[in-house]
Amino acid sequence: MLISTKGRYALRIMEELAQFEKGSYMPLPLIAENQGISEKYLESIISMMVKAGLVEGLRGKKGGYRLSRPAESYSVGEILRISEGSLAPVSCLESDNVCPRAGLCKSLPVWEKLENLINDYLDSVSLEDIMEQEMQNTH
């Protein structure tokens, strides 16, 4: 499993929004500048987050984006699954891939356990945990 740039940027965008003034909308150009991401690429990622209900957008002069829920309610796993589509370590575990050898495959349980470990870990880390860790590292 390799997390793409899109997945890493999605997590960085969510971190940026979590740090911004609670309840306020953060303008897209400011997110792009702070994160060093082009606005065009940022728009494509943030639109996925809006569509999934993780982020709210507001148009206009005071517009921008903000988290739709408290930071502690987001898991890293949720954010990555939305941006990546799948966190399966091997393609045969992806939901749209039916392997004809699944019933005979002796290594399938290894891959299933690895997928469970990955998902359990990423689902156990919240956006708030990342923010708290960052605060501890700066003090």
Side-chain angles (χ1 to χ4, degrees), residues 41-53 55 65 82:
Y41 194 38
L42 178 61
E43 278 178 2
S44 70
I45 296 169
I46 210 154
S47 69
M48 281 190 300
M49 299 294 141
V50 169
K51 187 176 180 179
V55 172
Y65 297 91
I82 287 168

Side-chain angles (χ1 to χ4, degrees), residues 65-85:
Y65 297 91
R66 68 179 182 190
L67 299 179
S68 57
R69 329 186 291 254
E72 66 269 8
S73 72
Y74 294 92
S75 75
V76 172
E78 174 186 25
I79 295 165
L80 291 177
R81 276 189 288 281
I82 287 168
S83 58
E84 295 291 321

Side-chain angles (χ1 to χ4, degrees), residues 7-137:
R8 293 191 321 269
Y9 284 3
L11 188 56
R12 285 175 40 193
I13 292 164
M14 296 297 284
E15 292 167 8
E16 184 76 26
L17 293 174
Q19 289 178 20
F20 200 63
E21 196 175 316
K22 299 258 189 268
S24 296
Y25 289 91
M26 187 172 197
L28 189 77
L30 182 58
I31 300 169
E33 180 183 328
N34 289 351
Q35 290 299 317
I37 303 171
S38 78
E39 283 187 46
K40 186 175 177 86
Y41 194 38
L42 178 61
E43 278 178 2
S44 70
I45 296 169
I46 210 154
S47 69
M48 281 190 300
M49 299 294 141
V50 169
K51 187 176 180 179
L54 273 63
V55 172
E56 299 174 340
L58 179 67
R59 294 186 182 268
K61 189 175 180 180
K62 297 199 182 222
Y65 297 91
R66 68 179 182 190
L67 299 179
S68 57
R69 329 186 291 254
E72 66 269 8
S73 72
Y74 294 92
S75 75
V76 172
E78 174 186 25
I79 295 165
L80 291 177
R81 276 189 288 281
I82 287 168
S83 58
E84 295 291 321
S86 170
L87 298 177
V90 291
S91 63
C92 63
L93 293 177
E94 292 178 353
S95 61
D96 61 345
N97 189 7
V98 179
C99 178
R101 296 190 39 84
L104 306 169
C105 183
K106 294 191 184 330
S107 59
L108 183 60
V110 172
W111 303 128
E112 290 172 334
K113 185 170 182 175
L114 178 58
E115 180 180 39
N116 288 336
L117 289 168
I118 291 168
N119 284 313
D120 289 349
Y121 173 69
L122 293 176
D123 289 339
S124 75
V125 180
S126 73
L127 193 53
E128 183 71 21
D129 293 336
I130 293 172
M131 306 314 298
E132 288 175 3
Q133 182 178 4
E134 184 179 319
M135 292 299 288
Q136 291 172 359
N137 290 340

